[in-house]
Amino acid sequence: MAFTPFLTRLYGPEAFGVSAAFTAVMSIITPLATLGYATAIVIPEGDKEAAAIARLSILCALILAPISLLAVHLGQPWIAILTGLQDTPQILYLIPLSLIITAFLSVANQSAIRKGLFKAKARAYVESALGTNLGKLGGGLVAPSGLVLILLTQAGQMLNLFMQLLRVPRQGVLKPSNWIGVRGVGEAAKAQRDFAVYRMPQSIIRAMAMGLPVIVLTALFGSAEAGQYSLTLLILGAPAMLLGDSVGEVFYPKITRAITGNKPKAQVLIVKAIAVLGLVGVATFGLIVIFGDVLVPWLFGAEWGRAGEYSQWVAVWMTAMLATRPAVASMPALELQSVLLLYEIVVTAARAAALYVGFLFGDDLVSIAIFSLINVAGYVGLSAVVLFKAYRRNSEVLNV
């Protein structure tokens, strides 16, 4: 966040738009890296089972990487046109490498979460973010382009993985050598199949939905508009993801133990977490909702005025997303992954319709406004389903 006002004055909206288009593609295919299995590392009681899930996750990536390379080679022209990367189509060949890096980083992250090593994980992230943004600052002084932003972002993921491995004890599920091999992967795949059947498709659909504005804005309005939106998502998504992921990573194992251990009133934990994060969201994004059209161009440069108008609507969406993070984190333990998949399908269709309505009006701001409100409504409905399920489960426990 501290670097962004400098970067926006070095890289224009077009460069941010190109980078955002590549990021949208990567976010859609990233869940394929481990087929969703990496998220299950925190669930088993023993490290032996957790290490088997880690091996399964890495094996999935090693199989899928060459498949993605073939897909990029055969579909490069079409993919480049769709994402606005016609000038640098060769950057698409980074996709297979990125899948492998993402798989290892996901396994490292989930292993650290399992062991409660949040401080080591956070330090590695901060150090890699600092190194990446220093690189972007230097690159912007020499050759400010979307290609430079993409390359440095990929390098930052590798740095994050390296720094995290340096900070955690290399033993049990945290030992990288235990991530390689096929021992126990069959049993792990069967035991945690819900993550591949439900969580992975849900993650892909969700990523497609989140990437829709970038792709649609690029295709229908131009890369500059996509760049304006990407800045909005960057400055508002960063605190939302930081707070949401931090709380979610701590809350996920806690609520999982409460639910799987049949402890009563698990729904009380969810309600309290939603209430606290809701208040944090209002405090964090309230000023942007009211004054975003003035604050954003003042902070990041006059050419980012449209991003300020986007931010007023996106801030409402981010507040809802942050508040409902505990509800989403509770869904695997409540066995609601199929509901989450259905939710993503329905809401994604509504999001696409919202963007199309804006296109019919010929106004990109209308697209973003309706898109944001659809997200808010979806999060509210999802939270209601989770709380109802938690209440039902609590009633069953008390009756027993």
Side-chain angles (χ1 to χ4, degrees):
M1 291 295 292
F3 276 93
T4 302
F6 302 100
L7 297 178
T8 53
R9 287 169 170 81
L10 293 172
Y11 301 89
E14 291 81 5
F16 271 86
V18 170
S19 177
F22 179 82
T23 301
V25 173
M26 284 308 309
S27 66
I28 292 171
I29 65 174
T30 289
L32 287 171
T34 67
L35 296 185
Y37 282 117
T39 312
I41 289 175
V42 303
I43 292 180
E45 292 185 6
D47 268 6
K48 181 180 178 181
E49 294 81 4
I53 298 173
R55 287 190 290 273
L56 173 62
S57 302
I58 298 300
L59 182 62
C60 290
L62 294 177
I63 293 174
L64 290 169
I67 296 176
S68 68
L69 178 61
L70 179 62
V72 167
H73 184 69
L74 295 177
Q76 184 190 46
W78 177 78
I79 298 173
I81 292 173
L82 178 65
T83 58
L85 297 172
Q86 302 96 315
D87 296 334
T88 56
Q90 67 278 6
I91 201 67
L92 294 171
Y93 283 103
L94 284 173
I95 289 176
L97 176 62
S98 182
L99 282 175
I100 294 175
I101 296 171
T102 298
F104 275 94
L105 186 57
S106 296
V107 169
N109 284 336
Q110 294 300 322
S111 299
I113 292 169
R114 175 182 174 82
K115 294 297 184 180
L117 300 174
F118 302 109
K119 187 175 182 179
K121 182 175 176 294
R123 284 186 175 182
Y125 185 85
V126 170
E127 290 164 353
S128 64
L130 179 62
T132 301
N133 283 286
L134 284 172
K136 289 180 179 180
L137 188 61
L141 294 172
V142 177
S145 67
L147 176 61
V148 170
L149 287 175
I150 293 169
L151 288 172
L152 290 171
T153 299
Q154 297 302 303
Q157 283 193 310
M158 295 182 65
L159 181 60
N160 188 5
L161 174 61
F162 178 73
M163 297 307 295
Q164 188 168 155
L165 291 178
L166 287 179
R167 290 188 174 277
V168 299
R170 298 179 184 87
Q171 58 187 22
V173 71
L174 291 166
K175 189 176 181 180
S177 61
N178 286 337
W179 301 348
I180 306 299
V182 297
R183 188 174 70 259
V185 298
E187 294 83 353
K190 183 178 180 180
Q192 307 298 337
R193 58 184 177 276
D194 279 2
F195 284 85
V197 175
Y198 297 119
R199 176 56 68 93
M200 187 267 292
Q202 177 267 328
S203 298
I204 292 176
I205 294 171
R206 182 176 183 274
M208 290 176 64
M210 294 300 100
L212 270 177
V214 171
I215 295 173
V216 171
L217 290 173
T218 301
L220 301 181
F221 298 101
S223 59
E225 284 75 11
Q228 297 276 353
Y229 174 77
S230 70
L231 175 65
T232 302
L233 209 57
L234 175 65
I235 60 178
L236 299 183
M241 293 298 291
L242 175 64
L243 293 169
D245 287 353
S246 298
V247 172
E249 287 170 359
V250 177
F251 187 76
Y252 178 34
K254 183 175 182 178
I255 193 64
T256 298
R257 288 191 294 270
I259 294 172
T260 57
N262 289 325
K263 295 180 180 179
K265 297 186 179 179
Q267 77 273 14
V268 175
L269 290 175
I270 303 173
V271 171
K272 286 182 177 179
I274 289 176
V276 171
L277 285 181
L279 292 174
V280 171
V282 171
T284 304
F285 300 112
L287 281 177
I288 298 297
V289 174
I290 302 172
F291 302 112
D293 56 337
V294 176
L295 291 175
V296 171
W298 178 72
L299 285 171
F300 303 104
E303 61 182 330
W304 297 97
R306 198 58 162 175
E309 295 175 319
Y310 289 165
S311 71
Q312 293 177 288
W313 293 100
V314 174
V316 178
W317 159 27
M318 290 296 155
T319 301
M321 183 179 75
L322 179 61
T324 57
R325 185 67 174 81
V328 177
S330 305
M331 296 188 80
L334 289 169
E335 299 178 350
L336 287 174
Q337 304 223 66
S338 59
V339 174
L340 190 58
L341 176 58
L342 178 62
Y343 159 83
E344 289 295 351
I345 294 173
V346 173
V347 174
T348 296
R351 289 162 173 161
L355 293 171
Y356 184 68
V357 169
F359 170 68
L360 292 179
F361 278 91
D363 191 337
D364 50 302
L365 182 59
V366 172
S367 290
I368 300 303
I370 302 178
F371 182 87
S372 299
L373 293 177
I374 289 293
N375 285 323
V376 172
Y379 283 124
V380 171
L382 191 65
S383 297
V385 172
V386 169
L387 290 173
F388 177 74
K389 176 68 173 181
Y391 175 79
R392 285 278 303 272
R393 185 152 186 159
N394 178 62
S395 299
E396 293 171 0
V397 170
L398 292 176
N399 289 333
V400 172

